Amino acid sequence: MDAASAHATTQSSPPASDSAALASALRQAVHSLTRRFRGNAILPIPQLQALGLIARLGPRTTSQLAAHERMRPQSMAQTVGQLEAAGLVERRPDPADGRQQLVSLTAQGDASLAEFRRAADAWAADALTTQLSAAERAQLAAAVPLLLRLADGER
Amino acid sequence: MDAASAHATTQSSPPASDSAALASALRQAVHSLTRRFRGNAILPIPQLQALGLIARLGPRTTSQLAAHERMRPQSMAQTVGQLEAAGLVERRPDPADGRQQLVSLTAQGDASLAEFRRAADAWAADALTTQLSAAERAQLAAAVPLLLRLADGER
DNA sequence: TATTGTTATACTCTATAACTATA
DNA sequence: TATAGTTATAGAGTATAACAATA
């Protein structure tokens, strides 16, 4: 049987009007890239994401961070616990509400973030430079905000 | 401290010439989307990916599938085992080389793939339709092959 | 001896459920 | 009683290492 022809639309660039085919192609690309990032990371990706999030937002509770990343608070708490054990973040109780714990970067976390990020993304930065033209990089840069909009969407 | 300004390039659309910032933004988008896909999937994503791969390539050994997905053969073997247990693929020994096992779609696997795919990608297809304009979808469709090139690159 | 595949084990990531402490 | 957080447990995804079977 010629199975290839039946699903060819997921292989090449799908027509823009066909959201279903585009969604499938996107899933494929996104999961392949996730594995590449994970395989090349020096710090577990969730830790790197959380570190960057705290750096951008400033001190926040674990629950706030979890909501921002669309994860369960317990899942984020584990990541934050690992960062705390590594000395990259610290938790201090909110004086106004003893139930809350504000997570903030330590001096070490702040100092290390750029280097962690550079190391974790080095392979991608290299691939972007060597495998894509400047025009293609610009095309991709324009598409990234669209990807983030999809990821952050309500549905 | 104003941590936000130091890392603002990862938030908005980064300049196309800065591969490092683009790489970081891409990591963020890709991992957020991965969580969305996983959360909405009806079949574990690796199973769906493997099923689609076998459909496109035709019968292949587990090792060949693993190489194509850049995973270890043992990891792909587990996924294939789950698909086999579900009756979606079958393994038969290569008559020419008894060490090899060729994995192929069953009639059920072939019949079910489109439906699995539709269900797993439904949220994304909906988001693409409702949150992006036709022009933005076209922009994204053009970027997907670039993402695949990065994911399949040597480095 | 080299290659293919299998089994055993472990670690990361995320989730659900149950529990504790504070408001 | 409602809310914030913690602890316990489970399952998916992937990896490394050791083993078995075939060439």
Side-chain angles (χ1 to χ4, degrees), chain A:
Chain A
M1 79 173 177
D2 180 13
S5 61
H7 307 294
T9 50
T10 61
Q11 275 297 69
S12 54
S13 175
S17 57
D18 185 349
S19 288
L22 179 53
S24 291
L26 190 58
R27 163 175 49 79
Q28 190 174 325
V30 145
H31 281 271
S32 293
L33 279 172
T34 291
R35 272 205 308 274
R36 292 304 293 270
F37 272 106
R38 180 163 52 200
N40 288 95
I42 53 156
L43 193 72
I45 299 290
Q47 292 183 37
L48 185 57
Q49 304 271 79
L51 210 56
L53 188 61
I54 298 164
R56 287 200 310 272
L57 300 182
R60 288 290 187 282
T61 68
T62 297
S63 291
Q64 289 171 330
L65 297 172
H68 208 276
E69 288 287 287
R70 292 176 166 274
M71 317 171 65
R72 300 300 162 191
Q74 299 97 315
S75 300
M76 180 59 78
Q78 175 171 308
T79 297
V80 167
Q82 291 160 341
L83 289 172
E84 189 181 31
L88 300 173
V89 304
E90 61 189 0
R91 277 187 280 202
R92 40 183 196 70
D94 186 331
D97 185 341
R99 294 173 301 182
Q100 300 199 156
Q101 300 261 328
L102 282 175
V103 183
S104 54
L105 288 190
T106 61
Q108 188 192 342
D110 190 53
S112 306
L113 174 55
E115 174 58 21
F116 280 135
R117 180 142 52 193
R118 195 200 58 72
D121 299 334
W123 81 267
D126 184 67
L128 284 166
T129 302
T130 60
Q131 297 181 15
L132 263 54
S133 69
E136 288 170 333
R137 278 195 300 281
Q139 205 172 11
L140 203 48
V144 166
L146 305 179
L147 295 176
L148 287 170
R149 197 193 306 171
L150 291 177
D152 291 341
E154 285 307 315
R155 290 164 200 81

Side-chain angles (χ1 to χ4, degrees), chain B residues 7-147:
Chain B
H7 308 292
T9 50
T10 61
Q11 273 298 68
S12 56
S13 176
S17 58
D18 187 347
S19 289
L22 180 53
S24 290
L26 189 58
R27 163 174 50 80
Q28 191 175 323
V30 145
H31 281 270
S32 293
L33 280 171
T34 291
R35 273 206 306 273
R36 292 303 292 271
F37 271 107
R38 182 163 50 200
N40 289 94
I42 52 156
L43 193 70
I45 300 291
Q47 292 182 38
L48 186 57
Q49 304 271 78
L51 211 55
L53 188 60
I54 298 164
R56 287 201 310 272
L57 301 181
R60 288 289 187 283
T61 68
T62 297
S63 291
Q64 289 172 331
L65 296 172
H68 207 275
E69 289 288 285
R70 291 178 166 273
M71 319 172 65
R72 301 298 161 192
Q74 298 96 315
S75 301
M76 179 58 80
Q78 175 171 307
T79 298
V80 167
Q82 291 159 341
L83 289 171
E84 189 180 31
L88 301 173
V89 305
E90 62 189 358
R91 277 188 281 203
R92 42 181 195 70
D94 185 331
D97 184 341
R99 293 172 303 183
Q100 300 198 157
Q101 300 262 330
L102 281 174
V103 182
S104 54
L105 288 189
T106 61
Q108 189 192 341
D110 190 53
S112 306
L113 175 55
E115 175 58 20
F116 281 135
R117 182 143 49 196
R118 196 199 58 72
D121 299 335
W123 81 268
D126 184 67
L128 283 166
T129 302
T130 59
Q131 298 181 15
L132 265 53
S133 69
E136 288 171 331
R137 277 196 299 281
Q139 204 173 10
L140 203 48
V144 165
L146 305 179
L147 295 176

